Amino acid sequence: MILNIAVLPGDGIGPEVTRQAVKILKAVGETYNHTFNFHEEIIGAVAIDKFGNPLPDKTIELCLKSDAVLFGAIGDPKYDNDPTAKVRPEQGLLKLRKSLGLYANIRPIKAYPTLLEKSPLKKDRIEGVDFIIFRELTGGIYFGEKILSDDGSYASDLCEYSEIEIERIAHLAFKTARKRKKKVTLVDKANVLETSRLWRKITTHIAKSYPDIQLDFLFIDNAAMQLILNPGQFDVILTENMFGDIISDEGSVIGGSIGLLASASIGDENALFEPIHGSYPQAKNKDIANPIASILSAAMLLEHFKLYEEAKAVTKAIERSLELNIVTPDLNVESKYGTKKVGNFIADYIANSDDINY
Amino acid sequence: MILNIAVLPGDGIGPEVTRQAVKILKAVGETYNHTFNFHEEIIGAVAIDKFGNPLPDKTIELCLKSDAVLFGAIGDPKYDNDPTAKVRPEQGLLKLRKSLGLYANIRPIKAYPTLLEKSPLKKDRIEGVDFIIFRELTGGIYFGEKILSDDGSYASDLCEYSEIEIERIAHLAFKTARKRKKKVTLVDKANVLETSRLWRKITTHIAKSYPDIQLDFLFIDNAAMQLILNPGQFDVILTENMFGDIISDEGSVIGGSIGLLASASIGDENALFEPIHGSYPQAKNKDIANPIASILSAAMLLEHFKLYEEAKAVTKAIERSLELNIVTPDLNVESKYGTKKVGNFIADYIANSDDINY
Ligand SMILES: [Mg+2]
Ligand SMILES: [Mg+2]
């Protein structure tokens, strides 16, 4: 397979973790005979510094003509802590998602056996947890009409959804469930909200095309409880924008390390892959940033192009690094391994499937 | 003090747990020389059975002329499992809240030392947790205009808030914080929602009248994380209707037992106190239902009328029953104590402050 991949390292630790993800993709390309072409552009604070614009046209153009985008992280204290700043690094990512028509945010949550002790949940609750959240990304109350009355004493936000917005992400969720435990849970508030009832009606209709998939429903308030009480019950969670924001953040902490979580943002023509952690400027250039979330985002990229065996090789290598405690200091304070060495181990393991040198 | 208390036991285990709460209030009245008058009426499934109406006029009239309402639980499988039922038990409570103008739902969350092992969270996260959620109950997206297009392909829900709706509950939250750890955390999504920005503006303004109280802000998605990562950071949480629904349910499970959680719904003229658990019809009349949540709701009633010493005596008696393992089977499967005996112990302890007979 030939893939043209736009690489946007961004700010802070973005460049060093993305470099490891590229290294891993190169190892996969060589081992499995694919041609992955990488082209790099700037985004975020570095782009503001250079062009006064967090998303230069050249960056958009590169992404539009690429098959996928590998994204690092964005944000710099120089802009984040300045309330008068009109141009902010984050605007670059929001505008990029819009320019690429990315309507589904996909967030896998997995409890790694070697990290159970780091979870805030007791072991019996978190053991074996492995689910994936599909969050609608372009509709709902975050994007509806906002009103503030002239006298400033009344405000409103409109939550809207249309059939097409629900259908396209629902199909993605059902297709993914097919490759997993064959269960989709729609999280909504259909006992109260009209938009939730539309989600339920359309999703129920779509489910008929996937007779092998079980469709469940859960109200958002109950889902927020179930994620703590029994997260092992979930396989694929499908939900609207704001509910997805809330439960994907809640879900991100139950596994015990945010340094192991990646996400994908998918549209009909393009897809972007990124770690969920931020730019962590304090750790920049210290060779201590955990590259695993970025490497996992590269594995999601491989899966997106149906390179399942290749993606599996990457996740297997990551699991082996965790087992052998070849990890950065965030996972083991006494670790002698840095960002690069963890990346090297994973790349070597993909190429050779052995760990005799470690 | 003379208080006229409307008692609405409702359905399922409602009557038996409410009976214990009344017993405790009588013990408090005798011990501290107050006159509490109790008048009972029906609500819920029993009222549908008798009058075809989950909230008969006589019940509303009693509540309106009482100082407070002690509420049990509502719901019966006969109606809940019948999708064609037009009259539902829950409608009784929703209509009652509206008739009494109850705009603030108050939910204390506390981790009892003897029950830490039951929490889904690890001990170091949940130990010492003691906070209280103020949820706005009559505004927001649950009550705004709902639209479904004629062709059924578009839906919307409007989230609205006005100054007065925010002010009255904000004052309640600040006043409560004064008697506690002097910290209010406003949970919103002010980076995206206009209504959240209104909440933030008005709450910030009100905070100036409470210079002894620290006001913090937290986005709802971050709050959903922090409730798991570090629930001990909270004192008083203030939030709008839907966010309050989500985090009060999330918060209700971190303590380990829903049988120990009570709530109050407050208006300018009236107040209603209830356990947060449901009618649990399977346990009805078996003398196994945990009366503590209902008894704690009676303690909240006492606090509401500034009977702080009396409320403290009740919570102290409850804590002693937990320490001595004088609890119902939900907290200890081998327990020989039933609903009544737990109520008796707590009433005796309030009257005598000793436990020599146990
Ligand atoms: Mg978020
Ligand atoms: Mg709820």
Side-chain angles (χ1 to χ4, degrees):
Chain A
M1 183 178 277
I2 300 171
L3 286 179
N4 291 307
I5 300 171
V7 179
L8 310 187
D11 305 321
I13 60 168
E16 49 201 295
V17 297
T18 308
R19 215 170 289 135
Q20 304 312 310
V22 169
K23 185 190 286 176
I24 268 57
L25 287 174
K26 284 181 177 165
V28 168
E30 280 166 29
T31 310
Y32 294 86
N33 276 314
H34 300 299
T35 305
F36 298 153
N37 302 312
F38 300 94
H39 302 279
E40 196 173 311
E41 268 303 341
I42 60 175
I43 189 169
V46 288
I48 300 179
D49 288 346
K50 201 162 173 188
F51 299 115
N53 179 356
L55 183 65
D57 290 345
K58 269 181 69 182
T59 303
I60 302 183
E61 282 159 29
L62 171 67
C63 294
L64 283 172
K65 72 179 184 196
S66 300
D67 297 303
V69 180
L70 192 65
F71 183 88
I74 226 166
D76 190 286
K78 173 165 52 168
Y79 300 103
D80 299 343
N81 299 335
D82 176 7
T84 66
K86 286 221 175 76
V87 185
R88 293 176 174 282
E90 296 72 31
Q91 294 165 347
L93 181 55
L94 292 175
K95 196 176 161 204
L96 181 60
R97 282 181 179 157
K98 204 168 172 178
S99 308
L100 299 180
L102 308 178
Y103 56 76
N105 187 254
I106 303 172
R107 181 90 70 94
I109 313 273
K110 190 170 170 176
Y112 291 90
T114 48
L115 294 176
L116 293 183
E117 69 190 43
K118 288 197 178 286
S119 171
L121 298 189
K122 284 180 182 147
K123 199 179 163 188
D124 61 326
R125 310 275 177 155
I126 189 66
E127 210 161 24
V129 163
D130 180 4
F131 63 91
I132 183 162
I133 299 172
F134 280 73
R135 166 190 172 191
E136 204 286 326
L137 206 52
T138 59
I141 197 166
Y142 290 176
F143 294 97
E145 189 190 18
K146 285 158 198 356
I147 293 173
L148 178 67
S149 67
D150 289 341
D151 67 353
S153 71
Y154 164 95
S156 72
D157 297 279
L158 186 63
C159 179
E160 299 179 287
Y161 268 105
S162 66
E163 194 166 5
I164 173 72
E165 290 175 303
I166 300 168
E167 278 175 351
R168 57 191 185 183
I169 187 172
H171 280 294
L172 287 182
F174 279 102
K175 279 178 190 151
T176 299
R178 233 175 214 168
K179 289 174 290 186
R180 296 175 49 98
K181 288 171 273 171
K182 301 193 169 22
K183 183 174 154 184
V184 171
T185 302
L186 177 66
V187 169
D188 63 25
K189 190 72 182 175
N191 54 340
V192 191
L193 301 181
E194 200 64 49
T195 45
S196 285
R197 287 188 279 266
L198 186 63
W199 271 85
R200 209 171 262 218
K201 186 184 80 176
I202 290 168
T203 306
T204 303
H205 182 72
I206 287 173
K208 290 186 186 135
S209 318
Y210 300 87
D212 50 326
I213 309 295
Q214 177 195 341
L215 174 63
D216 287 351
F217 306 102
L218 206 58
F219 294 144
I220 175 66
D221 46 338
N222 193 7
M225 291 201 272
Q226 296 301 326
L227 271 176
I228 306 172
L229 287 176
N230 180 17
Q233 73 188 282
F234 297 115
D235 180 23
V236 172
I237 292 178
L238 169 65
T239 192
E240 62 98 64
N241 198 346
M242 190 172 72
F243 295 158
D245 188 11
I246 296 169
I247 58 168
S248 60
D249 282 346
E250 182 182 349
S252 72
V253 298
I254 63 177
S257 176
I258 214 166
L260 299 186
L261 294 177
S263 81
S265 298
I266 306 284
D268 287 328
E269 307 290 338
N270 220 311
L272 180 148
F273 303 87
E274 59 179 316
I276 74 155
H277 62 65
S279 60
Y280 196 22
Q282 312 91 304
K284 186 180 173 176
N285 289 334
K286 290 188 180 156
D287 197 41
I288 56 170
N290 190 340
I292 291 184
S294 185
I295 295 171
L296 276 170
S297 77
M300 291 184 80
L301 184 155
L302 295 169
E303 268 195 11
H304 180 70
F305 292 102
K306 303 195 194 305
L307 301 176
Y308 300 119
E309 193 190 340
E310 291 83 342
K312 186 101 198 162
V314 176
T315 54
K316 230 186 107 189
I318 289 170
E319 280 160 22
R320 192 70 189 132
S321 80
L322 293 172
E323 278 164 24
L324 294 173
N325 219 355
I326 298 172
V327 294
T328 43
D330 54 309
L331 298 185
N332 173 14
V333 282
E334 290 166 6
S335 180
K336 59 185 202 296
Y337 298 98
T339 309
K340 273 180 236 151
K341 281 193 176 161
V342 171
N344 288 346
F345 171 83
I346 293 171
D348 285 355
Y349 195 85
I350 290 166
N352 307 305
S353 269
D354 70 41
D355 43 49
I356 46 167
N357 299 320
Y358 292 87
Chain B
M1 181 178 280
I2 299 171
L3 285 180
N4 291 307
I5 298 170
V7 180
L8 310 186
D11 304 321
I13 60 168
E16 50 200 295
V17 297
T18 308
R19 216 170 287 136
Q20 305 312 311
V22 169
K23 186 190 285 174
I24 266 57
L25 287 175
K26 283 179 176 164
V28 167
E30 281 165 27
T31 310
Y32 294 87
N33 278 314
H34 300 299
T35 305
F36 298 153
N37 301 312
F38 300 94
H39 302 278
E40 195 172 313
E41 269 302 343
I42 58 175
I43 189 170
V46 289
I48 299 179
D49 289 345
K50 202 164 173 187
F51 299 114
N53 179 355
L55 183 65
D57 290 346
K58 272 181 67 182
T59 302
I60 302 184
E61 283 160 26
L62 171 67
C63 294
L64 283 173
K65 72 180 185 196
S66 300
D67 298 304
V69 180
L70 192 65
F71 183 88
I74 226 168
D76 189 286
K78 174 165 51 170
Y79 300 103
D80 299 342
N81 299 335
D82 176 7
T84 66
K86 286 221 173 78
V87 185
R88 294 176 174 282
E90 295 72 30
Q91 293 165 349
L93 180 57
L94 292 175
K95 197 177 158 200
L96 181 61
R97 282 181 179 158
K98 203 169 174 178
S99 307
L100 300 180
L102 308 178
Y103 57 77
N105 187 255
I106 303 172
R107 181 90 70 94
I109 312 274
K110 191 170 169 174
Y112 291 91
T114 48
L115 294 177
L116 292 183
E117 69 190 44
K118 289 197 177 288
S119 170
L121 297 190
K122 284 180 182 146
K123 200 179 162 186
D124 61 327
R125 310 275 178 156
I126 189 66
E127 210 162 24
V129 163
D130 181 3
F131 62 92
I132 184 162
I133 300 171
F134 281 73
R135 166 190 172 189
E136 203 288 327
L137 207 52
T138 59
I141 197 168
Y142 290 177
F143 293 98
E145 189 190 20
K146 285 157 197 0
I147 293 173
L148 178 66
S149 67
D150 290 339
D151 67 354
S153 72
Y154 164 95
S156 72
D157 297 279
L158 186 64
C159 179
E160 298 179 289
Y161 268 106
S162 66
E163 194 166 5
I164 172 73
E165 292 175 302
I166 300 167
E167 278 174 352
R168 59 191 184 182
I169 187 171
H171 280 294
L172 287 182
F174 280 101
K175 279 177 189 151
T176 299
R178 236 178 210 167
K179 290 175 291 186
R180 297 175 48 99
K181 288 170 275 170
K182 302 196 168 21
K183 182 176 156 183
V184 170
T185 302
L186 177 66
V187 169
D188 64 24
K189 189 73 183 176
N191 53 341
V192 191
L193 300 181
E194 199 64 48
T195 46
S196 285
R197 287 189 278 265
L198 185 63
W199 272 84
R200 209 171 263 219
K201 187 184 79 177
I202 291 168
T203 305
T204 303
H205 182 72
I206 287 173
K208 292 187 184 133
S209 317
Y210 301 87
D212 49 328
I213 309 295
Q214 177 194 339
L215 175 62
D216 287 351
F217 306 102
L218 205 58
F219 294 143
I220 175 64
D221 46 337
N222 193 6
M225 291 200 276
Q226 296 301 326
L227 272 176
I228 307 173
L229 286 176
N230 182 16
Q233 74 187 279
F234 297 115
D235 180 22
V236 172
I237 292 178
L238 169 65
T239 191
E240 63 100 61
N241 198 346
M242 189 171 74
F243 295 158
D245 188 11
I246 296 169
I247 58 168
S248 60
D249 282 346
E250 183 182 347
S252 72
V253 299
I254 64 176
S257 175
I258 213 165
L260 299 185
L261 295 178
S263 81
S265 298
I266 306 284
D268 287 329
E269 307 289 337
N270 221 309
L272 180 148
F273 303 87
E274 60 180 314
I276 75 154
H277 62 65
S279 60
Y280 195 21
Q282 311 92 303
K284 186 180 174 176
N285 289 333
K286 291 190 179 155
D287 197 42
I288 55 170
N290 190 341
I292 291 184
S294 186
I295 295 170
L296 277 170
S297 77
M300 291 184 81
L301 185 155
L302 295 168
E303 268 195 13
H304 180 70
F305 291 102
K306 304 195 195 303
L307 301 176
Y308 300 120
E309 194 190 338
E310 292 82 341
K312 187 100 197 163
V314 176
T315 53
K316 229 185 108 190
I318 289 170
E319 279 161 21
R320 192 72 188 130
S321 78
L322 292 172
E323 279 164 24
L324 295 172
N325 219 354
I326 298 172
V327 294
T328 42
D330 54 309
L331 297 185
N332 172 14
V333 283
E334 289 164 7
S335 179
K336 59 186 201 296
Y337 298 98
T339 310
K340 273 179 236 152
K341 282 194 176 159
V342 171
N344 289 345
F345 171 84
I346 293 170
D348 286 355
Y349 195 85
I350 290 166
N352 307 304
S353 267
D354 69 39
D355 43 48
I356 47 169
N357 298 319
Y358 292 86

